[in-house]
Amino acid sequence: MKRLAVYCGSATPADPRYLELAETIGRDLAGRGIGVVYGGGRLGLMGAVAKGALDAGGEVIGVIPEALASAEVANHDCTELITVSGMHERKAAFTRLSDGFVTIPGGVGTMDELWEAVSWAQLGYHAKPVGLLNAFGFYDHLIAFIHHMAAVGFIRPAHQGIIIAEPELDLLLARMAAHVPHTPIFAMKSSDL
């Protein structure tokens, strides 16, 4: 994996562990020679991921919608800052530019990015690993809900392993590197659906 899209919040939570985690992730990815593709902002966890990677000499590609760039939240320190017209183009660029996806703590926008990566993988628009870093147990309830969706039958057995969840970055990256693409919906027979 040469580049990973990192999905995370633009907010700054009161608990300092989240900013420290984000900066450490950026630094660790750069130390492994993995470039960061992210939302292009300078605030919150987004800014911390970029800072960590840049401080460690890593490549950072920011992808930011025009509306946010003009609101003066763009991080002009990025190796490359790409301005796109909107959120759909942003997520398409994340997919095009990266070899996989890592989601760390965040809010609604982070969930939107994660679910689109999962949905596109399920359908067959990409075959890249989708990682979820469950630091501090932040995603415990989400992981339980994913298991519930699978148990009820809303996630097919072939797609139950799309999200690769681990509590530590080393474990997550190792599993992502060993990722074997599943059979996408586009390649399934109607009897499998």
Side-chain angles (χ1 to χ4, degrees):
M1 297 181 292
K2 294 179 182 176
R3 287 185 188 144
L4 290 174
V6 179
Y7 296 150
C8 59
S10 61
T12 302
D15 186 337
R17 295 182 305 169
Y18 292 103
L19 279 180
E20 291 166 7
L21 171 73
E23 192 168 335
T24 298
I25 287 168
R27 186 173 52 251
D28 287 356
L29 291 175
R32 296 168 185 262
I34 299 172
V36 170
V37 180
Y38 87 115
R42 59 179 172 78
L43 304 176
L45 271 66
M46 271 203 259
V49 167
K51 180 183 184 319
L54 290 167
D55 286 354
E59 175 192 45
V60 176
I61 300 173
V63 184
I64 192 163
E66 291 170 352
L68 292 175
S70 62
E72 299 182 3
V73 298
N75 184 352
H76 295 282
D77 293 332
C78 293
T79 309
E80 182 180 359
L81 183 63
I82 301 168
T83 303
V84 294
S85 61
M87 298 302 282
H88 295 295
E89 294 80 11
R90 183 192 219 182
K91 290 181 285 186
F94 289 150
T95 302
R96 184 179 70 254
L97 294 168
S98 70
D99 299 313
F101 312 88
V102 173
T103 299
I104 67 173
V108 173
T110 304
M111 291 299 91
D112 175 53
E113 292 163 345
L114 169 65
W115 287 117
E116 187 151 308
V118 172
S119 175
W120 286 15
Q122 181 176 275
L123 290 168
Y125 286 115
H126 73 77
K128 301 173 182 183
V130 179
L132 181 69
L133 185 66
N134 188 27
F136 320 122
F138 184 81
Y139 286 118
D140 284 351
H141 296 290
L142 178 64
I143 293 167
F145 181 62
I146 292 166
H147 290 304
H148 175 67
M149 286 190 290
V152 171
F154 286 111
I155 300 177
R156 292 170 185 86
H159 304 137
Q160 290 176 10
I162 289 176
I163 294 179
I164 302 166
E166 288 292 347
E168 297 173 15
L169 186 62
D170 287 344
L171 293 172
L172 182 62
L173 293 177
R175 286 191 58 206
M176 289 176 69
H179 167 71
V180 175
H182 60 280
T183 303
I185 288 175
F186 293 157
M188 291 181 158
K189 298 176 184 174
S190 60
S191 60
D192 297 328
L193 299 174

